Amino acid sequence: REAHLVGGVCADGLGKGKTATILRLLAETLHGAGESCALPMDGSRYAGNTLFILPLNLISQWKTEMQKFLCSSVRVLTLVTAKDIREVSIAQLADADAVVTTFEFLRSPAYVKQVVEHALGGRPRERAVLSGWARRTDQTQPVLEAVAWRRIVVDEIHQVFDSPRDLRALRLFRPRALWGLSATVEIHTDAAQH
């Protein structure tokens, strides 16, 4: 049996450039290698490019790094509070180059009850239901799990390995590639292997 896997774990040491590496990957896939701020000649863009799921205490660090390493034309959308989600549509999520959020936000009542449960109309929050909901063209609610992300980047992935509810939340997404970042990754646990 064969599988084509895309993504992995970047486990460089503290301060060795994991963030810069991922942001370079983002910049290159947005605009083509060597043309970091110019759009492709045909004007094409990747929809729902990258979702960053970060620990709450690292949001400001990542924002600073994004300003440092990405050009100003890169559209970054931050969703960490109830206020952030109120005026956002699924089209804006898909149009953003990078969306930054946290597992705390993905579990928050403001997101789960007011957005996801309302959008799904009482149906369970499962991949099949989310996929069916996403195929309808009249949907406007910003359900993060319904976007077909090019990649998801999870910083401090070792914390997710130790949290069954964060692993469940992560499994609801359908990225083409999943990248985990950690300076202290432990890959020998059952959760990490899974």
Side-chain angles (χ1 to χ4, degrees), residues 5 11-12 24 27 29 31 60 70 77-78 80 85 92 108 111 114 126 128 138-139 142 144-145 151 155 188:
L5 301 176
D12 291 338
R24 174 66 187 249
T29 57
H31 308 298
S60 62
L70 299 175
L77 182 62
T78 303
V80 293
I85 198 79
Q92 289 169 300
S108 72
Y111 177 67
Q114 295 174 12
E126 298 171 348
D138 61 335
Q139 303 301 352
L144 293 165
E145 296 90 343
R151 78 181 60 82
D155 198 358
H188 300 295

Side-chain angles (χ1 to χ4, degrees), residues 47-52 77 79 92-94 96-100 143-152 173-177:
N49 191 10
T50 303
L51 175 66
F52 291 89
L77 182 62
L79 301 173
Q92 289 169 300
L93 287 178
D97 297 317
V99 175
V100 176
V143 178
L144 293 165
E145 296 90 343
V147 174
W149 299 100
R150 179 181 184 99
R151 78 181 60 82
I152 293 178
F173 290 93
R174 300 172 295 127
R176 273 200 235 157

Side-chain angles (χ1 to χ4, degrees), residues 32-52:
E35 302 174 29
S36 63
C37 289
L39 289 174
M41 294 300 278
D42 64 0
S44 64
R45 299 188 72 81
Y46 297 117
N49 191 10
T50 303
L51 175 66
F52 291 89

Side-chain angles (χ1 to χ4, degrees), residues 18-63:
K18 295 180 295 295
T19 303
T21 299
I22 291 296
L23 293 177
R24 174 66 187 249
L25 174 65
L26 170 63
E28 285 187 359
T29 57
L30 279 175
H31 308 298
E35 302 174 29
S36 63
C37 289
L39 289 174
M41 294 300 278
D42 64 0
S44 64
R45 299 188 72 81
Y46 297 117
N49 191 10
T50 303
L51 175 66
F52 291 89
I53 305 176
L54 311 173
L56 191 55
N57 64 319
L58 297 181
I59 296 287
S60 62
Q61 175 192 332
W62 271 86
K63 283 183 171 182

Side-chain angles (χ1 to χ4, degrees), residues 9 11-13 28 33 47 52 65 81 83-84 93 133 136 150 153 155 159 163 170 175-176 187 193:
V9 174
D12 291 338
E28 285 187 359
F52 291 89
E65 297 290 306
T81 67
K83 180 183 173 190
D84 296 335
L93 287 178
W133 180 88
R136 293 181 45 199
R150 179 181 184 99
V153 175
D155 198 358
Q159 294 173 355
S163 172
L170 193 54
R176 273 200 235 157
I187 60 170
Q193 292 298 319

Side-chain angles (χ1 to χ4, degrees), residues 154-188:
V154 181
D155 198 358
E156 303 297 346
I157 190 77
H158 62 278
Q159 294 173 355
V160 178
F161 294 158
D162 295 333
S163 172
R165 70 180 174 176
D166 289 348
L167 280 173
R168 279 192 304 275
L170 193 54
R171 285 189 194 113
L172 292 174
F173 290 93
R174 300 172 295 127
R176 273 200 235 157
L178 176 62
W179 285 96
L181 305 179
S182 176
T184 56
V185 68
E186 171 57 57
I187 60 170
H188 300 295

